[in-house]
Each structure stands twice: as C-alpha cells, then as structure tokens.
C-alpha cells in the first residue's frame, strides 16, 4: 500500500498525518512549539523550531505506521498563512524570528497607508483590505528594523517566504524557493488577476522582487525531500494555506458554500473566493512581477 504524508504546520503546533490509499488516517504525530511575545501585540516564532518540529513529527508518523520512504507517494504541505520569514540565501539562516499572522506591530504603518489613499489599489489588485495581518508590512518592518538587512536584500542575498516556502527550502536543502497561489495571495503583494507579484506594490513596501519565491499551482511536484535523512527524497507534491486546504478537505467545491475553521482563530472562507486562487491553473511558476 502507498501512502500520502500530510504536513500540517499550524500556529501553535506542527502535525503530520499519514493517509493510506483509501483516505484513512494510519498515523498522527504532533508537537507544540514556543510562542514568543516580545512586547504587547507582538507574536513571533523561531523559524528553526518550526522546521525541526515539523520534520520530527513527519519521521514519527512514518515510524508509528512502520512505513518506509519508498512507501510514500508524496508529501503535501498545509500551513499557517501570512506568517513572514526572511532568511539569508547563502547561509540558510533566518535573519529574524518569524513574525506571526496575529502580530500587530505594523498597525500604525497600515493606518498611514490607508490615510495616503493606497487602499483601493491594494484591494483591487490583491483582493485584500490593508491590515497588519498580511505579510507585506511584516517584511517591510524586518528590512527597516533589523540592522543590515536592507543592504542584503537589495544585493539579492535575502529570501522571503511564508511558512510553506520556508519548509520547502529546508526539506530540499535550499534548492527550491517556491510557494503556491493560496499562500502568495495572503501577502498583500500578489496580483490575483495576473497571477504574479505586483511590481508597484513591491515598490510601495520597498521589497526587492529578488526576495520573493516563485509562485506555482497548489498541486504539482515542487521538488524532493532530499535534505532530510529518513524521508528518502519523497516528492513534495502539494501546498495550500490552511484555510484553503480545509475548504477543499471539507468538500466546499461549489459556489455558495462556506466553512468555518476553529483553531487558534475562527476563519470563515467562501468556496468561490478560494477556488479562484487554489483552482486557477498557472503554466509553470510565476517568477516575474505584474
């Protein structure tokens, strides 16, 4: 029997589930990790702990089921969305903690953007209202507040990713820097009409496009888990942000259906909104800007 290994990287824990060919769960492993609160309204995670906890539960799930890497057809990743991680391309080391989706440190910056009249353009291009919830202002904050990072970014030395892209980078030993449309669409930098990073929005937030991952469809082979002993080069063949993944997992596949997910927060997602993103088919990966 062949299996699918699902990696579920959430806000408070990392989990792995091994599914058989009939869709039954054969094993589950879960591990909590530290929540970091440097100041009121600030929420951070250690990117190294995100990766290590996720890899640990993946190996544990295989061990519980007595499965070998050759028994696994593919790995899929679903993840907490909007959380921003920036790392050095040469060393693979994060240059700051992950700034979590809950974090409100950029609320004043968002208010200034609204007062300057940027709201309509951002909403038209990204489908999002300006808010510190999304990744763009978090990236900008890191570049403005962590010593030396702006110079590194402008010289092409830094990479940004939501948690899915960070895990993909770690699992492939730094060989793959990609994300999917469902995660890209939550950054406030992705033009949902062209399926590419938006050049003008990147300029607005002073983020070099060289930092951004290639944007691919949610269902394709991104690479292999070649950097982790015990995963044996299993294909990495699917990525979707947690709310979009839950939407399709709960079979909200027709316009008019809506689901609620109750976890660290409560999220409501309509089927049409997610299907426009997860369901769209890109021809390969989008690396350019709109």
């Amino acid at each position: 029997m062949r299996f699918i290994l699902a990696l579920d990287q959430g806000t408070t824990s990392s989990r792995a589930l091994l599914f058989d060919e009939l869709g039954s769960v054969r094993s589950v492993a879960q591990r909590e990790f530290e929540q970091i609160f440097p100041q009121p309204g600030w929420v951070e995670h250690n990117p190294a702990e995100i990766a290590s906890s996720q890899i640990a539960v993946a190996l544990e799930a295989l061990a519980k089921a007595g499965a070998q890497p050759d028994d696994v057809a593919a790995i899929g990743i679903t993840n907490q969305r909007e959380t921003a991680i920036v790392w050095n391309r040469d060393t693979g080391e994060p240059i700051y903690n992950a700034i979590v989706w809950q974090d409100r440190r950029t609320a004043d910056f968002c208010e200034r953007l609204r007062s300057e009249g940027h709201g309509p353009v951002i909403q038209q291009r990204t489908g999002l209202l300006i808010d510190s919830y999304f990744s763009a202002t978090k990236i900008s904050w890191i570049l403005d507040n962590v010593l030396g990072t702006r110079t590194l970014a402008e010289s092409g030395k830094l990479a940004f990713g939501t948690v899915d892209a960070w895990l993909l980078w770690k699992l492939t030993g730094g060989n793959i820097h990609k994300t999917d449309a469902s995660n890209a669409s939550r950054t406030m930098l992705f033009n949902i009409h062209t399926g590419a990073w938006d050049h003008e929005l990147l300029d607005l937030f002073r983020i070099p496009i060289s930092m951004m991952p290639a944007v691919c469809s949610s269902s394709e082979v991104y690479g292999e888990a070649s950097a982790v002993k015990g995963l044996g080069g299993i294909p990495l063949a699917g990525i979707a942000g947690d709310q979009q993944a839950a939407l399709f997992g709960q079979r909200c596949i027709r316009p008019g259906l809506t689901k609620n997910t109750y976890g660290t927060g409560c999220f409501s997602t309509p089927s049409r909104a997610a299907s426009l993103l997860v369901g769209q088919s890109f021809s390969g990966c989008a690396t350019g800007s709109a």
Side-chain angles (χ1 to χ4, degrees), residues 2-288:
R2 298 277 276 171
F3 301 101
I4 296 290
L5 179 60
L7 307 184
D8 179 10
Q9 205 302 297
T11 307
T12 59
S13 70
S14 295
R15 181 168 53 171
L17 301 92
L18 194 67
F19 292 88
D20 64 23
E21 293 172 345
L22 302 177
S24 300
V25 177
R26 297 294 293 269
S27 67
V28 179
Q30 187 168 1
R31 181 172 298 188
E32 294 184 356
F33 56 88
E34 183 183 9
Q35 306 295 302
I36 303 168
F37 306 102
Q39 297 183 30
W42 293 27
V43 189
E44 299 178 357
H45 292 156
N46 182 337
E49 190 176 11
I50 288 176
S52 63
S53 62
Q54 189 63 76
I55 290 168
V57 293
L59 297 174
E60 183 180 344
L62 290 180
K64 282 184 174 180
Q68 300 299 316
D70 288 347
D71 300 324
V72 181
I75 293 172
I77 297 173
T78 185
N79 58 285
Q80 54 167 311
R81 307 172 304 168
E82 299 97 12
T83 296
I85 303 173
V86 177
W87 64 94
N88 188 299
R89 289 184 179 276
D90 294 335
T91 66
E93 294 298 318
I95 53 92
Y96 190 77
N97 277 340
I99 301 181
V100 181
W101 57 271
Q102 301 157 295
D103 191 281
R104 303 300 297 173
R105 76 186 68 187
T106 61
D108 289 345
F109 181 23
C110 290
E111 181 57 38
R112 178 165 61 82
L113 291 170
R114 284 189 289 268
S115 68
E116 291 173 353
H118 297 293
V121 171
I122 288 175
Q123 184 175 9
Q124 191 279 326
R125 296 187 185 187
T126 69
L128 305 175
L129 300 175
I130 295 175
D131 198 274
S132 59
Y133 181 28
F134 305 112
S135 309
T137 59
K138 304 179 195 299
I139 306 167
S140 186
W141 186 94
I142 290 173
L143 296 183
D144 287 339
N145 289 274
V146 180
L147 186 64
T149 54
R150 176 131 339 249
T151 300
L152 288 171
E154 291 173 353
S155 63
K157 297 291 187 180
L158 296 185
F160 155 75
T162 42
V163 169
D164 59 301
W166 170 244
L167 291 178
L168 193 61
W169 178 279
K170 298 296 286 186
L171 291 168
T172 62
N175 289 318
I176 304 293
H177 185 210
K178 295 179 180 178
T179 188
D180 87 304
S182 70
N183 281 287
S185 70
R186 303 297 290 180
T187 61
M188 215 160 62
L189 297 167
F190 183 71
N191 190 313
I192 60 175
H193 307 288
T194 63
W197 301 116
D198 191 285
H199 178 77
E200 291 185 18
L201 295 183
L202 288 166
D203 286 347
L204 175 64
F205 291 99
R206 298 178 62 217
I207 298 170
I209 195 168
S210 60
M211 293 181 64
M212 308 305 288
V215 182
C216 301
S217 66
S218 298
S219 180
E220 65 177 80
V221 176
Y222 294 82
E224 295 183 347
S226 57
V228 179
K229 184 179 180 181
L231 294 184
I234 301 170
L236 295 149
I239 294 175
D242 52 10
Q243 306 312 323
Q244 285 89 345
L247 185 81
F248 282 89
Q250 294 163 359
R251 298 187 62 77
C252 290
I253 55 177
R254 300 192 311 275
L257 296 176
T258 301
K259 66 89 189 170
N260 274 1
T261 298
Y262 301 96
T264 305
C266 172
F267 301 91
S268 178
T269 308
S271 57
R272 178 166 172 75
S275 64
L276 286 172
L277 292 166
V278 180
Q280 65 181 292
S281 177
F282 297 112
S283 56
C285 298
T287 56

